[in-house]
Amino acid sequence: MNEQKQNEEKQGEEKQSEPRQDEPRRGEVLARMLSLAGEAARGMVSRVRWLIYAERGRRVMTGLAVTGVVAGVVVAQPVCMIEPGEVGIRVNRLTGNVSELHEGWSLLVPQVHRLSRYSLKDQTYSPTRSARATDPAPFQSVEGLSIGVEVNIRYVLDPARIQTLAARLPENVGRDIIEPAIDGVLRRHFAQHTVREIFSTQRVQIQKDISAELAPLLAADGVLVRSVTLGNVDLPQQYRTGMEALLAEELNAEKMRYTLELKDKQVKQSALEAEADKVRREKAAEAAGNEEVIAAKARAEAMRHVLPFKEKEIEQRRLEAEAAKVSRLTLATAEAEAHRIEAAGEADARRKLAESDAYRVEVTGKAASEQLARDAELITRNPLLIQKTLADKLSDKIQVIIAPPQAGGFIAGNLLGQPQGASSSQAVASSATSTQEE
Amino acid sequence: MLATLVAIALVVQDQAPLRAAPQDSAPRQATLWQGEWLEVRGEKQGFIQVYDHGRERPGYVREHQVRIYRLDEASVPKLQAVVEFLKDTPGAEALGIGYAAALLRAAPASQVGPELFDALGTLADRLARRATSNRTNDVALAAHLDVAASYGVKLVSFEREGRTRVCYDGEAFRRVLALGGSPEARLRAALSLTRPECIDPALNPVARQALDEWRGSVLEQVDGGRLPAYLANRLHLRRAEVYAALSFQLSRRGEAQRGAKASARAVEELARVLKAELTEEDKPAYSMAAVRVGASRHASEPMPEKPGSGPVLELAQGQPGETCLRLVDAKDPKAPLSERCTYGLVWPGSVRRSAQGSAVAVAVQMLEGWTELWVFHQEGGAWVLDALAPAATEPVLGYVELAGFSPDGSRVLVAREALVDGKVKSSFQVLKRETLLPEKSAGSPDALGSFQRWSSSDWRGRTVAVR
């Protein structure tokens, strides 16, 4: 910077020394020019005479005068236009009056009035020469590193004070007043911070500080600062790489911290869940226990109900057994009585039967003995009747051979009480007995 | 260890001796049982030289006492044929399990289907049944159980009704259900997994409910429509049993709607059983299922309309798990006629009142399969409550239900069904209202004229006692 200034000063000095060398040449030229001017003046006088005295000359002069007036009006433009969002300050050079012109047409007398226009719209300023670290005018950090910062400052002129300030402020307020002031403030502030602070940690603070300093500074010149914005920070490439690595490390450390916090929270969560689970299981166990107790009580109750039922059943069986006993006793008694009656009846019946039998035997015996007596008498009278009867009785199925007894006995000797000899004679005797029974 | 074996010898005879040398006179190292595996190491003088990894000793066995197989794909058809044959051979369960294990080892994964697991499960199940039956002459049983256990077939034992019951844990059957299989195999698997006698009696009610819900879901995995009628009957019976139990458990836990649904499902499943197709061995199961359904069928009964006057039964919550019954006069609801609390489950849909208003009956389910009939009746002007138990036995399985009142209200008709000495006994009785003692009793409702005349149509329409 200092070198530049010195160069400029040298150039200035050189320019001042040039006219002194050209002075003799200039005298010749002046003399030549004076002679030429004399000739021209003479020619002019003749022309003016022609213009005044000749008819045609007067017509030409009138035409020229009219053309000159029209051209003067066109060139001088005595009416000016104030655009919306602008304010015009008109100064009367003769009187020194200052008036404020708002949007619309206004009269502007040439050479009398001077008009200055000021914009009332918001304006922005972004120092383009210091947006990147490689630009011609970068900012400097406290370490002396060149950094580029995209800064955007929005400002507006105070409309109420424009009239008073117009007298002392330059025509281009932005370029001449505001931009240098902003540049100064920015450079001072960035020079107070490290690159890291500008880059990451103190960015907001810096922005606030700049804003806080700029606002009163520019307010004195009738400028209201609306906002200060810091954009991209451009670092030297090498520093940027290191810085990013450092930040990444920090990020990792931060990440680890959060991870640890998360783990810690997870541990706490697990503990809480375990606790909840424990409580839940305790409750479940308690509920299960309760249910078991209830089930046991219900079982005991059911058992209690079964017992009376059992007792009732036993009682009923006892009653049934008693009833059965009584009924069986009664039945047995009745049966015994019936047996007794039956036995008595039977005995009676038997006695009667015996009696009747005895009577019958007696009667039949009597009859038989009488019959025998009659038979004996008959046989006595007719001894051969026995043989005849025997022969009659023996049926024709049995062949009877009446043979002379071997022992000189009679064929039916045993019937007649003779000593027996043959079995055939016995048979005859038995048949004779059966006949008698019949 | 088994993967390294190239050839194995499967012992096919019980009490085969493992000799120290290839001679019959050599000392016996161990006694082998059918189904055991030995590693084959050579052959000598008609003996197979083997190494017993279970007992960690080498030895010799007679050639005819073992069968030798290589554990590769070539042996698969042979092993399959033997497993198929042994599947239904009684007494050869350990051998069958040994063959199935060898087949599992030899066959590639693509060839192992549900049929093999069905066979394995059937064998293990039969072995468990064999261990449960108290035959004293089964000397090989303990050894066979050890052989099965060495293959990882898990048999668990419970004490039930004064005797030990051995049950298969059903691992193979679970695989059958997971892998698919024929409807018959799936049914076999589901029936074995949901066997009621294999439920641990020490389970608490909460675990029992969870188990019953699982049993229900297992039975739902079998498609009854593709089974022959007599097998479908078994499925319906088991479902009826499970849903009847679930109905009680759900109602007990306050889930009345689900309980009612389960109860209705149980009745429906029982109704699906075709009686003509019932086999001889399924008849006791049918009776038992009917008693279970009868005990919990009140859960799905709709609430009767409230009578205008006379005694009304009100239910209220007592202690936790307790229900209090309060009989009040409809005209004077403040003074209770009779009051009683119970830990049983009172079914409000079962409340019935005699025409004269002299008796009010309600079903109270005390246990999962035990429902009593509580009768409030007038005795000398005062109201008394009598609980009618299904039978004079330990409360296990049974129910008693109201069949109606005599027209003059002096008799109460009840139907009782209960498990007595291992058999379901049904009786239909006419009780005197005053004493609730049976006046007449018969084994079927047709045998009692008065019962037939007086039993209500409501009862006849819903009961499962007449089936």
Side-chain angles (χ1 to χ4, degrees):
Chain A
M1 290 291 283
N2 292 335
E3 285 177 8
Q4 276 183 353
K5 280 182 181 175
Q6 285 170 356
N7 289 339
E8 283 171 8
E9 281 171 6
K10 277 182 186 174
Q11 283 174 359
E13 283 171 8
E14 281 171 6
K15 280 178 186 172
Q16 284 176 352
S17 61
E18 273 176 9
R20 286 176 197 165
Q21 295 168 355
D22 293 344
E23 258 178 34
R25 206 182 294 171
R26 198 181 284 176
E28 289 173 18
V29 172
L30 201 63
R32 212 178 284 170
M33 280 179 74
L34 282 173
S35 66
L36 281 173
E39 284 178 18
R42 281 189 293 274
M44 283 280 283
V45 169
S46 66
R47 286 288 172 196
V48 168
R49 273 186 192 156
W50 178 76
L51 283 174
I52 295 167
Y53 297 113
E55 181 68 21
R56 200 176 155 208
R58 279 200 294 273
R59 276 205 299 271
V60 168
M61 206 170 71
T62 311
L64 282 173
V66 171
T67 311
V69 169
V70 170
V73 168
V74 170
V75 171
Q77 289 184 340
V79 175
C80 71
M81 168 79 180
I82 304 295
E83 297 288 334
E86 273 185 346
V87 65
I89 300 296
R90 187 174 62 186
V91 181
N92 191 327
R93 288 175 176 165
L94 300 177
T95 61
N97 279 342
V98 176
S99 56
E100 200 174 316
L101 305 179
H102 294 281
E103 59 184 79
W105 296 97
S106 294
L107 184 69
L108 202 67
V109 181
Q111 301 304 317
V112 175
H113 287 138
R114 189 170 65 86
L115 179 74
S116 305
R117 293 164 195 263
Y118 297 95
S119 175
L120 291 180
K121 287 180 185 169
D122 280 8
Q123 296 169 58
T124 57
Y125 169 56
S126 309
T128 49
R129 298 193 315 147
S130 48
R132 308 195 67 79
T134 50
D135 279 347
F139 296 111
Q140 309 286 322
S141 71
V142 75
E143 303 102 325
L145 279 166
S146 295
I147 54 170
V149 185
E150 283 179 4
V151 185
N152 190 298
I153 289 152
R154 189 168 147 219
Y155 64 88
V156 65
L157 295 177
D158 187 355
R161 295 179 59 195
I162 281 182
Q163 197 173 349
T164 51
L165 292 173
R168 59 182 180 86
L169 288 186
E171 282 289 306
N172 193 338
V173 181
R175 194 191 64 211
D176 298 339
I177 305 278
I178 298 171
E179 289 177 11
I182 289 173
D183 257 4
V185 170
L186 287 177
R187 279 174 199 285
R188 191 168 64 253
H189 271 277
F190 287 132
Q192 287 170 357
H193 291 279
T194 62
V195 174
R196 236 186 92 211
E197 284 170 352
I198 300 164
F199 192 65
S200 57
T201 56
Q202 296 278 317
R203 180 184 282 246
V204 178
Q205 189 57 42
I206 291 170
Q207 195 171 320
K208 272 186 192 166
D209 289 348
I210 291 171
S211 184
E213 189 172 342
L214 272 180
L217 186 69
L218 296 179
D221 292 331
V223 177
L224 304 177
V225 176
R226 294 256 197 239
S227 69
V228 176
T229 318
L230 295 186
N232 179 40
V233 176
D234 184 48
L235 301 176
Q237 188 52 42
Q238 210 171 353
Y239 187 85
R240 190 184 183 91
T241 314
M243 184 78 183
E244 276 174 359
L246 191 70
L247 286 175
E249 281 300 317
E250 265 186 26
L251 196 70
N252 276 342
E254 195 79 346
K255 190 177 163 190
M256 181 55 76
R257 192 164 65 80
Y258 282 117
T259 309
L260 286 176
E261 271 178 26
L262 195 68
K263 288 275 175 209
D264 192 38
K265 280 179 183 159
Q266 277 174 353
V267 167
K268 277 184 189 157
Q269 189 186 1
S270 303
L272 285 175
E273 275 172 4
E275 190 67 26
D277 194 37
K278 186 183 150 200
V279 171
R280 200 164 44 236
R281 280 166 64 185
E282 274 173 5
K283 289 268 176 214
E286 197 184 316
N290 282 347
E291 291 210 7
E292 215 159 337
V293 169
I294 291 165
K297 281 181 179 168
R299 176 172 283 275
E301 203 179 328
M303 197 70 211
R304 272 208 307 280
H305 292 157
V306 168
L307 287 175
F309 182 52
K310 218 170 205 171
E311 276 169 16
K312 271 186 189 171
E313 211 168 57
I314 290 167
E315 176 69 12
Q316 195 178 5
R317 278 192 193 150
R318 194 180 61 78
L319 289 174
E320 276 173 7
E322 255 176 32
K325 182 183 152 195
V326 168
S327 77
R328 283 176 74 178
L329 267 177
T330 317
L331 207 67
T333 316
E335 264 181 15
E337 188 66 26
H339 276 305
R340 253 201 306 280
I341 293 165
E342 262 178 26
E346 201 168 331
D348 234 16
R350 284 193 180 174
R351 199 168 52 243
K352 293 270 187 222
L353 275 174
E355 275 173 10
S356 68
D357 265 5
Y359 176 72
R360 184 175 61 86
V361 168
E362 197 186 330
V363 172
T364 49
K366 223 182 256 177
S369 60
E370 279 174 12
Q371 177 70 29
L372 274 173
R374 275 200 302 275
D375 283 354
E377 195 188 340
L378 193 63
I379 288 164
T380 317
R381 276 200 310 256
N382 306 300
L384 277 176
L385 194 62
I386 294 168
Q387 282 93 327
K388 183 200 175 269
T389 309
L390 188 66
D392 285 348
K393 282 202 174 172
L394 292 172
S395 74
D396 51 347
K397 286 171 196 163
I398 300 167
Q399 210 169 16
V400 180
I401 301 160
I402 299 172
Q406 288 172 352
F410 177 56
I411 187 170
N414 59 343
L415 271 179
L416 304 172
Q418 289 173 353
Q420 55 132 5
S423 60
S424 61
S425 55
Q426 262 182 352
V428 172
S430 66
S431 67
T433 315
S434 66
T435 314
Q436 193 184 13
E437 278 178 3
E438 283 169 8
Chain B
M1 181 269 296
L2 292 175
T4 61
L5 298 182
V6 179
I8 56 143
L10 253 165
V11 179
V12 292
Q13 284 183 7
D14 278 334
Q15 300 189 339
L18 182 71
R19 304 275 180 201
Q23 288 155 5
D24 282 331
S25 57
R28 177 190 280 239
Q29 304 245 60
T31 304
L32 304 172
W33 299 87
Q34 56 171 265
E36 285 189 71
W37 278 14
L38 304 165
E39 185 194 338
V40 177
R41 290 197 166 167
E43 194 183 353
K44 226 175 191 181
Q45 299 157 22
F47 279 80
I48 305 289
Q49 188 184 3
V50 294
Y51 187 82
D52 185 350
H53 287 278
R55 298 180 182 84
E56 292 184 348
R57 64 183 57 172
Y60 294 86
V61 280
R62 270 280 177 205
E63 209 170 356
H64 63 85
Q65 287 171 330
V66 295
R67 299 282 179 278
I68 295 170
Y69 296 98
R70 297 184 73 78
L71 289 182
D72 54 20
E73 264 185 75
S75 317
V76 170
K78 280 191 276 180
L79 289 167
Q80 246 167 358
V82 182
V83 169
E84 207 46 41
F85 170 71
L86 289 175
K87 184 182 162 189
D88 299 313
T89 311
E93 291 83 15
L95 185 61
I97 290 170
Y99 266 99
L103 181 54
L104 267 177
R105 177 58 64 190
S110 58
Q111 282 189 30
V112 178
E115 299 81 21
L116 175 58
F117 289 111
D118 180 37
L120 187 60
T122 309
L123 288 162
D125 210 25
R126 213 171 49 232
L127 184 62
R129 261 209 313 278
R130 200 174 121 198
T132 305
S133 68
N134 45 3
R135 276 191 301 164
T136 49
N137 56 352
D138 199 348
V139 285
L141 178 65
H144 286 184
L145 287 174
D146 282 345
V147 171
S150 74
Y151 289 118
V153 173
K154 204 171 157 198
L155 300 178
V156 285
S157 57
F158 306 110
E159 257 185 56
R160 287 184 81 99
E161 293 150 19
R163 55 184 285 203
T164 302
R165 169 141 212 132
V166 181
C167 291
Y168 174 48
D169 77 336
E171 181 59 37
F173 286 131
R174 280 169 218 254
R175 282 170 197 272
V176 172
L177 287 180
L179 290 172
S182 65
E184 283 87 355
R186 290 177 74 78
L187 176 76
R188 249 194 312 280
L191 288 182
S192 174
L193 285 171
T194 58
R195 196 166 282 158
E197 56 267 25
C198 284
I199 295 172
D200 188 355
L203 276 187
N204 66 39
V206 178
R208 182 67 205 266
Q209 187 194 335
L211 179 72
D212 278 336
E213 279 179 6
W214 177 80
R215 287 169 77 205
S217 69
V218 167
L219 290 169
E220 288 303 327
Q221 291 181 30
V222 184
D223 181 7
R226 293 168 60 198
L227 288 167
Y230 80 102
L231 289 177
N233 276 351
R234 289 180 192 168
L235 179 69
H236 295 316
L237 286 179
R238 186 61 57 80
R239 278 187 188 163
E241 213 167 85
V242 170
Y243 283 116
L246 260 182
S247 150
F248 173 75
Q249 289 154 358
L250 290 170
S251 306
R252 160 67 85 200
R253 295 196 75 179
E255 296 180 53
Q257 275 194 336
R258 283 182 69 201
K261 217 180 262 180
S263 166
R265 183 78 198 277
V267 175
E268 186 196 322
E269 290 291 340
L270 189 74
R272 279 171 187 255
V273 173
L274 298 176
K275 271 184 76 181
E277 295 286 343
L278 267 183
T279 60
E280 197 64 36
E281 72 251 35
D282 287 342
K283 280 182 179 163
Y286 179 56
S287 305
M288 301 260 262
V291 175
R292 282 186 193 281
V293 172
S296 64
R297 77 173 175 88
H298 298 291
S300 56
E301 268 190 0
M303 293 277 277
E305 280 179 30
K306 281 202 169 178
S309 62
V312 179
L313 197 63
E314 287 178 352
L315 303 183
Q317 203 71 33
Q319 300 284 321
E322 202 180 33
T323 311
C324 289
L325 297 101
R326 208 157 158 264
L327 190 73
V328 294
D329 198 332
K331 288 175 193 163
D332 182 17
K334 285 194 176 166
L337 303 171
S338 177
E339 204 169 8
R340 177 84 170 269
C341 292
T342 174
Y343 281 98
L345 212 52
V346 182
W347 294 117
S350 68
V351 178
R352 296 287 182 277
R353 204 174 62 150
S354 69
Q356 290 76 16
S358 55
V360 177
V362 61
V364 180
Q365 192 165 4
M366 306 306 275
L367 308 173
E368 199 181 287
W370 189 262
T371 301
E372 297 178 346
L373 184 69
W374 286 21
V375 184
F376 293 89
H377 58 109
Q378 272 180 314
E379 205 174 284
W383 283 85
V384 290
L385 169 62
D386 270 315
L388 292 179
T393 59
E394 198 189 339
V396 177
L397 191 61
Y399 71 92
V400 50
E401 59 186 12
L402 181 82
F405 295 98
S406 67
D408 60 353
S410 65
R411 303 284 186 276
V412 181
L413 311 183
V414 295
R416 283 184 152 118
E417 274 204 294
L419 189 71
V420 182
D421 300 331
K423 278 187 181 173
V424 172
K425 206 176 143 191
S426 311
S427 59
F428 300 85
Q429 298 175 324
V430 178
L431 313 180
K432 284 181 191 163
R433 186 180 57 76
E434 291 89 3
T435 57
L436 291 178
L437 284 174
E439 195 179 53
K440 289 177 194 164
S441 186
S444 81
D446 307 337
L448 285 179
S450 46
F451 197 98
Q452 256 192 322
R453 276 199 308 281
W454 295 336
S455 57
S456 68
S457 57
D458 170 47
W459 172 77
R460 282 198 300 271
R462 291 179 187 279
T463 187
V464 293
V466 185
R467 52 180 183 265

